[in-house]
Amino acid sequence: LLRSFGNTYGATGAFNAQPFEGGRSWAGARPEMRVIAYDSRGVAAHMGLLRRFIKVGEVDLLVGELGLWGVRRDLEGLGLSHSMFTMYPELQRLGVPFAFGTVRHALYKHVDRLCRGGIATILPGVRVRSTLPEVYLDLPATRIEDPLVVVFPIASSIDEWPSGTLIDRNGPEL
């Protein structure tokens, strides 16, 4: 599975594959659940889930954070929607009001296609603070990024998502 992540993310740049090289497992992330799709060629797609509280503006909010999204290169354009539809019943069972995830801006077209059906919303202009998976005395313990923030209403309406331009993950990125 780690080799699959390295191949999937490596195609977008060596830096993106780096967390999955060597013996590191999950690049510091510890998903509570994961969905892995296989076909005759091996791992086809993957998505991880972690329930956590995030802070949106001044509001603490329980979410199911989605991460470690990966689709094998020959299946791009098919996997994210299918992975989400597979995960959706589990998110409902867990009773989280929202699922939340972040992706690189380069994946805007893929995520925008997913959002067209109303299953999710891209939140523009929202930055995300995360704890770094490795802490060094001479570097800050957190980073602030400007990714595409995607919100999936699960047990609540998107109108109930708190306003705010900063999300604090209260931990490392999944």
Side-chain angles (χ1 to χ4, degrees), residues 1-68:
L1 190 58
L2 287 175
R3 185 176 60 200
S4 174
F5 282 140
N7 292 338
T8 298
Y9 294 124
T12 63
F15 177 79
N16 295 324
Q18 190 176 21
F20 303 102
E21 292 175 356
R24 294 186 61 189
S25 176
W26 299 107
R30 294 189 178 140
E32 181 176 344
M33 175 187 191
R34 58 186 173 163
V35 172
I36 305 170
Y38 295 92
D39 65 10
S40 62
R41 293 187 54 210
V43 175
H46 180 279
M47 181 182 285
L49 165 69
L50 175 65
R51 281 181 292 183
R52 71 171 3 150
F53 281 92
I54 61 173
K55 192 167 197 160
V56 182
E58 296 299 317
V59 178
D60 286 318
L61 183 65
L62 175 66
V63 297
E65 182 173 357
L66 302 171
L68 293 169

Side-chain angles (χ1 to χ4, degrees), residues 69-89:
W69 294 351
V71 178
R72 200 174 61 226
R73 302 270 304 159
D74 62 312
L75 299 173
E76 285 180 354
L78 302 173
L80 185 57
S81 296
H82 292 296
S83 298
M84 189 55 212
F85 287 123
T86 302
M87 189 67 85
Y88 202 82

Side-chain angles (χ1 to χ4, degrees), residues 16 43 48 55 86 102 107 130 143 152 159 163:
N16 295 324
V43 175
K55 192 167 197 160
T86 302
T102 61
L107 295 175
S130 305
R143 70 170 175 236
F152 300 82
D159 297 333
S163 63

Side-chain angles (χ1 to χ4, degrees), residues 8-9 12 16 69-71 73 76-77 80 102-115 122 147-148 150:
T8 298
Y9 294 124
T12 63
N16 295 324
W69 294 351
V71 178
R73 302 270 304 159
E76 285 180 354
L80 185 57
T102 61
V103 296
R104 299 179 320 273
H105 286 273
L107 295 175
Y108 181 86
K109 289 181 182 180
H110 294 291
V111 175
D112 184 54
R113 186 176 15 211
L114 175 66
C115 293
I122 298 172
L148 284 178
V150 185

Side-chain angles (χ1 to χ4, degrees), residues 148-168:
L148 284 178
V149 174
V150 185
V151 174
F152 300 82
I154 305 298
S156 296
S157 161
I158 191 66
D159 297 333
E160 297 175 64
W161 181 264
S163 63
T165 58
L166 179 67
I167 293 174
D168 192 336

